[in-house]
mmCIF file of all heavy atoms in Angstrom:
data_model
loop_
_atom_site.group_PDB
_atom_site.id
_atom_site.type_symbol
_atom_site.label_atom_id
_atom_site.label_comp_id
_atom_site.label_asym_id
_atom_site.label_seq_id
_atom_site.Cartn_x
_atom_site.Cartn_y
_atom_site.Cartn_z
ATOM 1 N N SER A 912 0.821 -1.220 0.000
ATOM 2 C CA SER A 912 0.000 0.000 0.000
ATOM 3 C C SER A 912 0.849 1.262 0.000
ATOM 4 O O SER A 912 0.378 2.327 -0.396
ATOM 5 C CB SER A 912 -0.921 0.011 1.218
ATOM 6 O OG SER A 912 -1.802 -1.066 1.165
ATOM 7 N N ILE A 913 2.077 1.153 0.428
ATOM 8 C CA ILE A 913 2.970 2.310 0.454
ATOM 9 C C ILE A 913 3.531 2.608 -0.937
ATOM 10 O O ILE A 913 3.797 3.761 -1.278
ATOM 11 C CB ILE A 913 4.112 2.070 1.466
ATOM 12 C CG1 ILE A 913 3.519 1.939 2.869
ATOM 13 C CG2 ILE A 913 5.147 3.168 1.425
ATOM 14 C CD1 ILE A 913 4.506 1.453 3.900
ATOM 15 N N PHE A 914 3.663 1.585 -1.755
ATOM 16 C CA PHE A 914 4.296 1.748 -3.058
ATOM 17 C C PHE A 914 3.616 2.742 -3.990
ATOM 18 O O PHE A 914 4.315 3.500 -4.664
ATOM 19 C CB PHE A 914 4.437 0.405 -3.760
ATOM 20 C CG PHE A 914 5.662 -0.335 -3.349
ATOM 21 C CD1 PHE A 914 5.561 -1.487 -2.608
ATOM 22 C CD2 PHE A 914 6.910 0.111 -3.702
ATOM 23 C CE1 PHE A 914 6.680 -2.177 -2.226
ATOM 24 C CE2 PHE A 914 8.047 -0.566 -3.329
ATOM 25 C CZ PHE A 914 7.930 -1.714 -2.583
ATOM 26 N N PRO A 915 2.296 2.775 -4.113
ATOM 27 C CA PRO A 915 1.716 3.774 -5.026
ATOM 28 C C PRO A 915 2.071 5.216 -4.656
ATOM 29 O O PRO A 915 2.221 6.063 -5.532
ATOM 30 C CB PRO A 915 0.207 3.531 -4.924
ATOM 31 C CG PRO A 915 0.092 2.102 -4.560
ATOM 32 C CD PRO A 915 1.262 1.838 -3.652
ATOM 33 N N ILE A 916 2.266 5.487 -3.373
ATOM 34 C CA ILE A 916 2.674 6.829 -2.953
ATOM 35 C C ILE A 916 4.096 7.110 -3.445
ATOM 36 O O ILE A 916 4.378 8.183 -3.990
ATOM 37 C CB ILE A 916 2.581 6.966 -1.425
ATOM 38 C CG1 ILE A 916 1.135 6.788 -0.978
ATOM 39 C CG2 ILE A 916 3.128 8.310 -0.953
ATOM 40 C CD1 ILE A 916 0.965 6.573 0.504
ATOM 41 N N LEU A 917 4.977 6.127 -3.272
ATOM 42 C CA LEU A 917 6.347 6.289 -3.760
ATOM 43 C C LEU A 917 6.372 6.396 -5.283
ATOM 44 O O LEU A 917 7.111 7.207 -5.850
ATOM 45 C CB LEU A 917 7.208 5.114 -3.309
ATOM 46 C CG LEU A 917 7.423 4.947 -1.816
ATOM 47 C CD1 LEU A 917 8.156 3.641 -1.537
ATOM 48 C CD2 LEU A 917 8.170 6.120 -1.247
ATOM 49 N N ASP A 918 5.556 5.567 -5.929
ATOM 50 C CA ASP A 918 5.509 5.588 -7.393
ATOM 51 C C ASP A 918 5.003 6.926 -7.913
ATOM 52 O O ASP A 918 5.509 7.445 -8.909
ATOM 53 C CB ASP A 918 4.612 4.472 -7.913
ATOM 54 C CG ASP A 918 5.141 3.094 -7.562
ATOM 55 O OD1 ASP A 918 6.349 2.964 -7.313
ATOM 56 O OD2 ASP A 918 4.330 2.155 -7.528
ATOM 57 N N LEU A 919 4.015 7.473 -7.255
ATOM 58 C CA LEU A 919 3.471 8.763 -7.674
ATOM 59 C C LEU A 919 4.498 9.880 -7.489
ATOM 60 O O LEU A 919 4.645 10.748 -8.352
ATOM 61 C CB LEU A 919 2.186 9.075 -6.909
ATOM 62 C CG LEU A 919 1.372 10.243 -7.408
ATOM 63 C CD1 LEU A 919 0.961 10.024 -8.866
ATOM 64 C CD2 LEU A 919 0.146 10.437 -6.547
ATOM 65 N N SER A 920 5.238 9.846 -6.380
ATOM 66 C CA SER A 920 6.271 10.862 -6.169
ATOM 67 C C SER A 920 7.395 10.715 -7.203
ATOM 68 O O SER A 920 7.931 11.714 -7.688
ATOM 69 C CB SER A 920 6.828 10.795 -4.750
ATOM 70 O OG SER A 920 7.415 9.552 -4.503
ATOM 71 N N LEU A 921 7.730 9.481 -7.567
ATOM 72 C CA LEU A 921 8.718 9.264 -8.628
ATOM 73 C C LEU A 921 8.194 9.800 -9.961
ATOM 74 O O LEU A 921 8.923 10.463 -10.698
ATOM 75 C CB LEU A 921 9.044 7.782 -8.751
ATOM 76 C CG LEU A 921 9.984 7.398 -9.880
ATOM 77 C CD1 LEU A 921 11.360 8.015 -9.668
ATOM 78 C CD2 LEU A 921 10.082 5.891 -10.005
ATOM 79 N N PHE A 922 6.933 9.539 -10.253
ATOM 80 C CA PHE A 922 6.325 10.008 -11.496
ATOM 81 C C PHE A 922 6.367 11.532 -11.590
ATOM 82 O O PHE A 922 6.736 12.090 -12.631
ATOM 83 C CB PHE A 922 4.891 9.495 -11.604
ATOM 84 C CG PHE A 922 4.164 9.972 -12.813
ATOM 85 C CD1 PHE A 922 4.514 9.520 -14.072
ATOM 86 C CD2 PHE A 922 3.124 10.875 -12.699
ATOM 87 C CE1 PHE A 922 3.843 9.964 -15.202
ATOM 88 C CE2 PHE A 922 2.450 11.324 -13.807
ATOM 89 C CZ PHE A 922 2.806 10.870 -15.069
ATOM 90 N N VAL A 923 6.021 12.203 -10.501
ATOM 91 C CA VAL A 923 6.016 13.670 -10.499
ATOM 92 C C VAL A 923 7.432 14.203 -10.710
ATOM 93 O O VAL A 923 7.641 15.143 -11.486
ATOM 94 C CB VAL A 923 5.399 14.211 -9.195
ATOM 95 C CG1 VAL A 923 5.613 15.705 -9.049
ATOM 96 C CG2 VAL A 923 3.916 13.887 -9.137
ATOM 97 N N SER A 924 8.406 13.611 -10.042
ATOM 98 C CA SER A 924 9.777 14.084 -10.232
ATOM 99 C C SER A 924 10.268 13.804 -11.653
ATOM 100 O O SER A 924 11.005 14.614 -12.233
ATOM 101 C CB SER A 924 10.719 13.463 -9.205
ATOM 102 O OG SER A 924 10.816 12.090 -9.384
ATOM 103 N N LEU A 925 9.857 12.678 -12.230
ATOM 104 C CA LEU A 925 10.279 12.365 -13.596
ATOM 105 C C LEU A 925 9.627 13.270 -14.632
ATOM 106 O O LEU A 925 10.205 13.496 -15.699
ATOM 107 C CB LEU A 925 9.979 10.905 -13.919
ATOM 108 C CG LEU A 925 10.860 9.875 -13.228
ATOM 109 C CD1 LEU A 925 10.398 8.473 -13.569
ATOM 110 C CD2 LEU A 925 12.313 10.075 -13.583
ATOM 111 N N ILE A 926 8.449 13.777 -14.345
ATOM 112 C CA ILE A 926 7.812 14.728 -15.272
ATOM 113 C C ILE A 926 8.727 15.940 -15.483
ATOM 114 O O ILE A 926 8.886 16.417 -16.599
ATOM 115 C CB ILE A 926 6.423 15.169 -14.746
ATOM 116 C CG1 ILE A 926 5.429 14.029 -14.906
ATOM 117 C CG2 ILE A 926 5.932 16.410 -15.468
ATOM 118 C CD1 ILE A 926 4.073 14.309 -14.288
ATOM 119 N N PHE A 927 9.349 16.396 -14.411
ATOM 120 C CA PHE A 927 10.228 17.559 -14.513
ATOM 121 C C PHE A 927 11.596 17.218 -15.074
ATOM 122 O O PHE A 927 12.273 18.066 -15.641
ATOM 123 C CB PHE A 927 10.388 18.225 -13.143
ATOM 124 C CG PHE A 927 9.121 18.821 -12.626
ATOM 125 C CD1 PHE A 927 8.463 18.236 -11.559
ATOM 126 C CD2 PHE A 927 8.572 19.945 -13.211
ATOM 127 C CE1 PHE A 927 7.284 18.776 -11.075
ATOM 128 C CE2 PHE A 927 7.399 20.498 -12.740
ATOM 129 C CZ PHE A 927 6.753 19.909 -11.659
ATOM 130 N N LEU A 928 12.026 15.965 -14.911
ATOM 131 C CA LEU A 928 13.372 15.578 -15.330
ATOM 132 C C LEU A 928 13.421 14.997 -16.737
ATOM 133 O O LEU A 928 14.307 15.333 -17.524
ATOM 134 C CB LEU A 928 13.956 14.557 -14.354
ATOM 135 C CG LEU A 928 14.253 15.060 -12.959
ATOM 136 C CD1 LEU A 928 14.644 13.909 -12.054
ATOM 137 C CD2 LEU A 928 15.361 16.098 -13.005
ATOM 138 N N ASP A 929 12.505 14.064 -17.023
ATOM 139 C CA ASP A 929 12.589 13.312 -18.278
ATOM 140 C C ASP A 929 11.192 12.817 -18.646
ATOM 141 O O ASP A 929 10.668 11.904 -18.016
ATOM 142 C CB ASP A 929 13.552 12.140 -18.092
ATOM 143 C CG ASP A 929 13.857 11.408 -19.367
ATOM 144 O OD1 ASP A 929 13.297 11.765 -20.419
ATOM 145 O OD2 ASP A 929 14.665 10.470 -19.322
ATOM 146 N N GLY A 930 10.619 13.412 -19.660
ATOM 147 C CA GLY A 930 9.257 13.068 -20.067
ATOM 148 C C GLY A 930 9.113 11.639 -20.555
ATOM 149 O O GLY A 930 8.096 10.989 -20.324
ATOM 150 N N VAL A 931 10.134 11.115 -21.229
ATOM 151 C CA VAL A 931 10.078 9.736 -21.721
ATOM 152 C C VAL A 931 10.063 8.758 -20.554
ATOM 153 O O VAL A 931 9.289 7.793 -20.524
ATOM 154 C CB VAL A 931 11.272 9.446 -22.665
ATOM 155 C CG1 VAL A 931 11.308 7.990 -23.073
ATOM 156 C CG2 VAL A 931 11.207 10.349 -23.879
ATOM 157 N N ALA A 932 10.900 9.011 -19.567
ATOM 158 C CA ALA A 932 10.929 8.149 -18.392
ATOM 159 C C ALA A 932 9.604 8.238 -17.619
ATOM 160 O O ALA A 932 9.111 7.238 -17.109
ATOM 161 C CB ALA A 932 12.093 8.520 -17.484
ATOM 162 N N ALA A 933 9.027 9.434 -17.541
ATOM 163 C CA ALA A 933 7.734 9.588 -16.862
ATOM 164 C C ALA A 933 6.651 8.808 -17.588
ATOM 165 O O ALA A 933 5.799 8.179 -16.958
ATOM 166 C CB ALA A 933 7.369 11.067 -16.779
ATOM 167 N N THR A 934 6.686 8.820 -18.903
ATOM 168 C CA THR A 934 5.713 8.053 -19.682
ATOM 169 C C THR A 934 5.885 6.559 -19.451
ATOM 170 O O THR A 934 4.901 5.821 -19.392
ATOM 171 C CB THR A 934 5.876 8.374 -21.182
ATOM 172 O OG1 THR A 934 5.769 9.782 -21.359
ATOM 173 C CG2 THR A 934 4.811 7.689 -22.004
ATOM 174 N N ALA A 935 7.115 6.118 -19.279
ATOM 175 C CA ALA A 935 7.380 4.698 -19.039
ATOM 176 C C ALA A 935 6.844 4.233 -17.691
ATOM 177 O O ALA A 935 6.579 3.052 -17.500
ATOM 178 C CB ALA A 935 8.870 4.420 -19.128
ATOM 179 N N VAL A 936 6.667 5.152 -16.755
ATOM 180 C CA VAL A 936 6.201 4.797 -15.416
ATOM 181 C C VAL A 936 4.672 4.656 -15.360
ATOM 182 O O VAL A 936 4.147 4.014 -14.452
ATOM 183 C CB VAL A 936 6.705 5.837 -14.393
ATOM 184 C CG1 VAL A 936 6.124 5.629 -13.017
ATOM 185 C CG2 VAL A 936 8.217 5.795 -14.312
ATOM 186 N N ILE A 937 3.949 5.192 -16.321
ATOM 187 C CA ILE A 937 2.482 5.163 -16.285
ATOM 188 C C ILE A 937 1.919 3.743 -16.219
ATOM 189 O O ILE A 937 1.068 3.464 -15.363
ATOM 190 C CB ILE A 937 1.887 5.968 -17.462
ATOM 191 C CG1 ILE A 937 2.187 7.448 -17.268
ATOM 192 C CG2 ILE A 937 0.385 5.737 -17.576
ATOM 193 C CD1 ILE A 937 1.813 8.308 -18.442
ATOM 194 N N PRO A 938 2.364 2.792 -17.040
ATOM 195 C CA PRO A 938 1.848 1.425 -16.879
ATOM 196 C C PRO A 938 2.217 0.816 -15.532
ATOM 197 O O PRO A 938 1.448 0.051 -14.953
ATOM 198 C CB PRO A 938 2.507 0.642 -18.021
ATOM 199 C CG PRO A 938 2.953 1.656 -18.992
ATOM 200 C CD PRO A 938 3.210 2.901 -18.219
ATOM 201 N N TYR A 939 3.377 1.167 -15.028
ATOM 202 C CA TYR A 939 3.809 0.677 -13.722
ATOM 203 C C TYR A 939 2.893 1.212 -12.623
ATOM 204 O O TYR A 939 2.513 0.472 -11.710
ATOM 205 C CB TYR A 939 5.255 1.113 -13.494
ATOM 206 C CG TYR A 939 5.888 0.557 -12.252
ATOM 207 C CD1 TYR A 939 6.146 -0.798 -12.131
ATOM 208 C CD2 TYR A 939 6.260 1.386 -11.209
ATOM 209 C CE1 TYR A 939 6.749 -1.309 -11.005
ATOM 210 C CE2 TYR A 939 6.862 0.894 -10.085
ATOM 211 C CZ TYR A 939 7.100 -0.456 -9.986
ATOM 212 O OH TYR A 939 7.693 -0.964 -8.863
ATOM 213 N N LEU A 940 2.515 2.486 -12.704
ATOM 214 C CA LEU A 940 1.571 3.060 -11.742
ATOM 215 C C LEU A 940 0.229 2.340 -11.789
ATOM 216 O O LEU A 940 -0.363 2.032 -10.758
ATOM 217 C CB LEU A 940 1.345 4.549 -12.024
ATOM 218 C CG LEU A 940 2.386 5.517 -11.529
ATOM 219 C CD1 LEU A 940 2.135 6.895 -12.124
ATOM 220 C CD2 LEU A 940 2.370 5.587 -10.035
ATOM 221 N N THR A 941 -0.242 2.074 -12.982
ATOM 222 C CA THR A 941 -1.513 1.366 -13.147
ATOM 223 C C THR A 941 -1.430 -0.030 -12.543
ATOM 224 O O THR A 941 -2.339 -0.454 -11.829
ATOM 225 C CB THR A 941 -1.875 1.274 -14.641
ATOM 226 O OG1 THR A 941 -1.832 2.576 -15.209
ATOM 227 C CG2 THR A 941 -3.240 0.667 -14.833
ATOM 228 N N TYR A 942 -0.332 -0.704 -12.802
ATOM 229 C CA TYR A 942 -0.136 -2.037 -12.234
ATOM 230 C C TYR A 942 -0.113 -1.987 -10.714
ATOM 231 O O TYR A 942 -0.693 -2.841 -10.045
ATOM 232 C CB TYR A 942 1.170 -2.651 -12.759
ATOM 233 C CG TYR A 942 1.710 -3.725 -11.874
ATOM 234 C CD1 TYR A 942 1.114 -4.983 -11.829
ATOM 235 C CD2 TYR A 942 2.813 -3.489 -11.050
ATOM 236 C CE1 TYR A 942 1.600 -5.963 -10.994
ATOM 237 C CE2 TYR A 942 3.300 -4.470 -10.221
ATOM 238 C CZ TYR A 942 2.695 -5.705 -10.190
ATOM 239 O OH TYR A 942 3.177 -6.663 -9.356
ATOM 240 N N ARG A 943 0.556 -1.012 -10.126
ATOM 241 C CA ARG A 943 0.681 -0.941 -8.669
ATOM 242 C C ARG A 943 -0.665 -0.693 -8.002
ATOM 243 O O ARG A 943 -0.937 -1.245 -6.943
ATOM 244 C CB ARG A 943 1.662 0.153 -8.291
ATOM 245 C CG ARG A 943 3.053 -0.161 -8.697
ATOM 246 C CD ARG A 943 3.505 -1.431 -8.088
ATOM 247 N NE ARG A 943 4.324 -1.098 -6.955
ATOM 248 C CZ ARG A 943 4.911 -1.984 -6.202
ATOM 249 N NH1 ARG A 943 4.768 -3.246 -6.452
ATOM 250 N NH2 ARG A 943 5.640 -1.607 -5.196
ATOM 251 N N ILE A 944 -1.497 0.131 -8.604
ATOM 252 C CA ILE A 944 -2.827 0.374 -8.039
ATOM 253 C C ILE A 944 -3.637 -0.912 -8.076
ATOM 254 O O ILE A 944 -4.297 -1.279 -7.103
ATOM 255 C CB ILE A 944 -3.524 1.531 -8.782
ATOM 256 C CG1 ILE A 944 -2.780 2.834 -8.501
ATOM 257 C CG2 ILE A 944 -4.987 1.634 -8.390
ATOM 258 C CD1 ILE A 944 -3.182 3.985 -9.373
ATOM 259 N N TYR A 945 -3.566 -1.628 -9.184
ATOM 260 C CA TYR A 945 -4.238 -2.925 -9.283
ATOM 261 C C TYR A 945 -3.661 -3.916 -8.266
ATOM 262 O O TYR A 945 -4.399 -4.678 -7.645
ATOM 263 C CB TYR A 945 -4.106 -3.481 -10.704
ATOM 264 C CG TYR A 945 -4.551 -4.914 -10.811
ATOM 265 C CD1 TYR A 945 -5.906 -5.239 -10.785
ATOM 266 C CD2 TYR A 945 -3.624 -5.947 -10.897
ATOM 267 C CE1 TYR A 945 -6.312 -6.564 -10.863
ATOM 268 C CE2 TYR A 945 -4.027 -7.263 -10.980
ATOM 269 C CZ TYR A 945 -5.369 -7.572 -10.955
ATOM 270 O OH TYR A 945 -5.770 -8.875 -11.023
ATOM 271 N N ALA A 946 -2.350 -3.906 -8.075
ATOM 272 C CA ALA A 946 -1.710 -4.846 -7.152
ATOM 273 C C ALA A 946 -2.164 -4.607 -5.714
ATOM 274 O O ALA A 946 -2.332 -5.566 -4.947
ATOM 275 C CB ALA A 946 -0.193 -4.731 -7.258
ATOM 276 N N VAL A 947 -2.370 -3.355 -5.329
ATOM 277 C CA VAL A 947 -2.860 -3.066 -3.972
ATOM 278 C C VAL A 947 -4.280 -3.586 -3.823
ATOM 279 O O VAL A 947 -4.620 -4.210 -2.807
ATOM 280 C CB VAL A 947 -2.786 -1.555 -3.668
ATOM 281 C CG1 VAL A 947 -3.521 -1.217 -2.385
ATOM 282 C CG2 VAL A 947 -1.339 -1.113 -3.584
ATOM 283 N N TRP A 948 -5.107 -3.368 -4.820
ATOM 284 C CA TRP A 948 -6.479 -3.884 -4.762
ATOM 285 C C TRP A 948 -6.469 -5.408 -4.692
ATOM 286 O O TRP A 948 -7.185 -6.009 -3.889
ATOM 287 C CB TRP A 948 -7.263 -3.412 -5.989
ATOM 288 C CG TRP A 948 -8.602 -4.063 -6.101
ATOM 289 C CD1 TRP A 948 -9.741 -3.710 -5.425
ATOM 290 C CD2 TRP A 948 -8.931 -5.202 -6.892
ATOM 291 N NE1 TRP A 948 -10.753 -4.569 -5.768
ATOM 292 C CE2 TRP A 948 -10.286 -5.490 -6.668
ATOM 293 C CE3 TRP A 948 -8.215 -5.993 -7.780
ATOM 294 C CZ2 TRP A 948 -10.936 -6.538 -7.289
ATOM 295 C CZ3 TRP A 948 -8.856 -7.041 -8.398
ATOM 296 C CH2 TRP A 948 -10.199 -7.305 -8.151
ATOM 297 N N TRP A 949 -5.661 -6.048 -5.519
ATOM 298 C CA TRP A 949 -5.582 -7.499 -5.550
ATOM 299 C C TRP A 949 -5.025 -8.045 -4.236
ATOM 300 O O TRP A 949 -5.500 -9.048 -3.711
ATOM 301 C CB TRP A 949 -4.718 -7.935 -6.728
ATOM 302 C CG TRP A 949 -4.640 -9.415 -6.892
ATOM 303 C CD1 TRP A 949 -5.585 -10.221 -7.416
ATOM 304 C CD2 TRP A 949 -3.556 -10.255 -6.511
ATOM 305 N NE1 TRP A 949 -5.150 -11.522 -7.402
ATOM 306 C CE2 TRP A 949 -3.907 -11.580 -6.848
ATOM 307 C CE3 TRP A 949 -2.316 -10.020 -5.929
ATOM 308 C CZ2 TRP A 949 -3.063 -12.649 -6.617
ATOM 309 C CZ3 TRP A 949 -1.482 -11.090 -5.708
ATOM 310 C CH2 TRP A 949 -1.864 -12.388 -6.049
ATOM 311 N N GLY A 950 -4.019 -7.388 -3.683
ATOM 312 C CA GLY A 950 -3.454 -7.805 -2.398
ATOM 313 C C GLY A 950 -4.447 -7.706 -1.273
ATOM 314 O O GLY A 950 -4.499 -8.570 -0.386
ATOM 315 N N SER A 951 -5.270 -6.671 -1.298
ATOM 316 C CA SER A 951 -6.318 -6.527 -0.286
ATOM 317 C C SER A 951 -7.339 -7.651 -0.396
ATOM 318 O O SER A 951 -7.740 -8.251 0.611
ATOM 319 C CB SER A 951 -7.005 -5.169 -0.451
ATOM 320 O OG SER A 951 -8.141 -5.086 0.368
ATOM 321 N N ALA A 952 -7.759 -7.946 -1.606
ATOM 322 C CA ALA A 952 -8.736 -9.026 -1.809
ATOM 323 C C ALA A 952 -8.152 -10.377 -1.412
ATOM 324 O O ALA A 952 -8.832 -11.195 -0.773
ATOM 325 C CB ALA A 952 -9.183 -9.048 -3.269
#
């Protein structure tokens, strides 16, 4: 449950640093949100 917060902060920092890297993190963010839901279930 802590990971999506870390992932979001990484995404925000990557937006300012490297747009390509930030775009690469979007599927990872989606996966992590699903993983928290799946882990809870």
Side-chain angles (χ1 to χ4, degrees):
S912 298
I913 297 169
F914 275 111
I916 297 166
L917 296 173
D918 297 337
L919 191 59
S920 61
L921 176 64
F922 177 70
V923 169
S924 65
L925 288 176
I926 287 174
F927 294 109
L928 293 172
D929 188 358
V931 174
T934 305
V936 173
I937 292 172
Y939 186 67
L940 280 169
T941 307
Y942 158 74
R943 293 302 259 181
I944 293 168
Y945 170 74
V947 169
W948 171 81
W949 183 77
S951 171

